[in-house]
């Protein structure tokens, strides 16, 4: 005869979001700066026939979208913090938005690549002075945004209560790293425009457009992979899975994991359902094993089921 029971630890408010007001405010400022500069670069690149400038502007749109998703996630977490419909919080709004943005960015990369190749085949005159001025402004804005986001990330790091790099605000960190990549793209555009102006290397400008489209595509594919992994709950190779196995294997009471499910419910936060089998003569409550597993703070929602079995 088998008996089973379950134990559950639930901390809804913790899963939702601890909040990072400084990061949210700085992100909104970064969105404003980025959007204004993005429009200026795209319009300027179109008017002055610079594919490098257009590429930089469209690439800047990629992190404008990423910053927008981050701001939406902060806002949604606050707005629905007490809404019981969101069993595991509102974090996946950010993930779903990122997945959608990645699909759009693949289209943007294709658009950039098509027109860059078109300009390589059929070059047009470029007004270098104006294009260089706008590109330099874009670089400055990228550096300012990087400073804003780094400030928010440093603030979040200083108030971190968990341990390990996976517990930081990964959304803010990814936006910060992407802004740095945009700054590099701006440098490429400026170098291409100077090369065209002083060395008559007009082919450099559309070539940098091709490079820019490749950067957008690479980032979009990476974002699709990372967000798709979360949306499909493909987390069974996460380090926390090995930690659960180790906790049960080293328990003084012998038990065997017969079923295990782990999925992510927040930034560095996981839920888990664990089914265990123990010998029939062992009388143990599921709470015992839940405490064994619960030493890992990234597990914020744990359900344990214990079944008794005949000793082989």
């Amino acid at each position: 005869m088998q008996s089973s029971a379950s134990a559950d630890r639930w901390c809804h408010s913790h899963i939702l979001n601890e909040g990072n007001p400084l990061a949210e405010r700085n992100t909104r400022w970064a969105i404003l700066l980025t959007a204004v500069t993005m429009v200026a670069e795209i319009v300027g690149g179109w008017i002055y026939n610079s594919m490098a400038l257009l590429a930089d502007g469209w690439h800047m749109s990629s992190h404008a979208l990423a910053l927008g998703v981050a701001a939406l996630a902060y806002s949604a977490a606050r707005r629905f913090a007490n809404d019981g419909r969101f069993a595991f919080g509102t974090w996946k709004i950010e993930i779903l938005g990122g997945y959608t943005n990645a699909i759009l960015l693949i289209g943007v990369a294709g658009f950039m690549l098509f027109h860059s190749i078109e300009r390589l085949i059929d070059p047009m005159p470029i007004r270098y002075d104006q294009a260089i001025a706008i590109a330099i402004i874009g670089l400055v804005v990228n550096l300012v945004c990087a400073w804003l986001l780094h400030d928010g990330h440093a603030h979040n790091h200083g108030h971190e209560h968990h341990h390990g790099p996976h517990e930081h605000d990964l959304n803010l960190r990814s936006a910060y790293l992407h802004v740095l990549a945009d700054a590099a793209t701006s440098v490429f555009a400026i170098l291409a425009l100077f090369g065209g102006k002083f060395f008559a290397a007009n082919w450099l400008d559309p070539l940098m457009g091709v490079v820019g489209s490749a950067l957008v595509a690479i980032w979009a594919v990476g974002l699709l992979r990372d967000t798709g992994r979360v949306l499909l709950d493909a987390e069974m190779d996460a380090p926390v899975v090995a930690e659960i196995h180790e906790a049960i294997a080293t328990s003084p009471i012998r038990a065997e994991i017969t079923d295990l499910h782990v999925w992510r419910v927040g930034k560095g936060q996981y839920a888990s359902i664990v089914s265990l089998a123990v010998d029939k003569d062992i009388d143990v409550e599921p709470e015992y094993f839940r405490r064994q597993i619960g030493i890992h703070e990234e597990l914020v929602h744990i359900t344990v089921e214990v079944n008794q079995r005949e000793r082989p």
Side-chain angles (χ1 to χ4, degrees), residues 5-299:
S6 65
D8 184 55
R9 177 179 70 179
W10 177 241
C11 190
H12 185 267
S13 61
H14 181 67
I15 289 178
L16 280 171
N17 201 339
E18 290 184 348
N20 190 345
L22 177 61
E24 182 174 1
R25 185 176 71 248
N26 286 356
T27 300
R28 294 184 185 280
W29 276 110
I31 291 171
L32 179 62
L33 287 171
T34 299
V36 171
T37 309
M38 176 194 72
V39 172
E41 287 197 338
I42 292 174
V43 172
W46 189 268
I47 292 174
Y48 304 130
N49 294 323
S50 170
M51 283 312 301
L53 196 54
L54 274 173
D56 191 37
W58 281 114
H59 189 69
M60 186 171 281
S61 74
S62 69
H63 84 259
L65 290 173
L67 292 172
V69 170
L72 176 63
Y74 289 131
S75 177
R78 276 200 332 274
R79 180 178 178 182
F80 298 110
N82 298 314
D83 193 327
R85 295 176 300 171
F86 294 90
F88 288 103
T90 56
W91 177 65
K92 284 192 177 179
I93 291 177
E94 169 191 335
I95 305 303
L96 182 59
Y99 184 85
T100 304
N101 287 340
I103 295 175
L104 296 175
L105 287 176
I106 289 177
V108 169
F111 176 84
M112 291 166 53
L113 179 63
F114 174 80
H115 284 282
S116 294
I117 294 176
E118 186 180 49
R119 293 292 176 87
L120 277 170
I121 296 173
D122 184 21
M124 296 180 65
I126 300 172
R127 298 169 67 177
Y128 286 106
D129 291 338
Q130 295 89 337
I132 289 172
I134 295 176
I136 290 175
I137 293 173
L139 174 60
V140 171
V141 169
N142 280 323
L143 294 176
V144 171
C145 290
W147 174 78
L148 284 170
L149 295 175
H150 181 268
D151 188 34
H153 178 67
H155 175 81
N156 185 61
H157 177 77
H159 290 77
E160 190 61 63
H161 300 290
H162 305 295
H163 303 284
H166 58 288
E167 297 291 350
H168 300 320
D169 191 333
L170 298 181
N171 181 51
L172 183 64
R173 176 177 169 82
S174 65
Y176 168 67
L177 293 177
H178 190 55
V179 168
L180 293 184
D182 283 335
T185 308
S186 296
V187 171
F188 292 154
I190 292 170
L191 291 175
L193 291 168
F194 272 112
K197 179 179 179 180
F198 294 109
F199 303 105
N202 296 336
W203 51 269
L204 270 177
D205 184 79
L207 179 62
M208 288 301 104
V210 173
V211 172
S213 68
L215 287 177
V216 173
I218 291 171
W219 185 77
V221 170
L223 184 59
L224 276 175
R225 182 184 61 249
D226 294 341
T227 54
R229 174 189 176 94
V230 175
L231 293 173
L232 295 174
D233 295 323
E235 302 290 347
M236 293 307 292
D237 60 346
V240 71
V241 175
E243 292 172 352
I244 293 173
H245 279 281
E246 182 182 6
I248 298 302
T250 57
S251 170
I253 298 179
R254 181 183 173 186
E256 178 187 351
I257 296 177
T258 57
D259 195 20
L260 175 62
H261 301 275
V262 174
W263 65 99
R264 210 184 318 184
V265 295
K267 298 179 178 68
Q269 298 176 322
Y270 296 83
S272 177
I273 298 175
V274 186
S275 292
L276 301 171
V278 298
D279 292 341
K280 190 174 182 180
D281 58 348
I282 295 178
D283 184 17
V284 60
E285 293 294 324
E287 176 64 20
Y288 170 81
F289 292 106
R290 190 200 63 77
R291 287 197 301 267
Q292 296 288 112
I293 299 170
I295 62 173
H296 301 290
E297 295 182 348
E298 63 267 43
L299 286 165

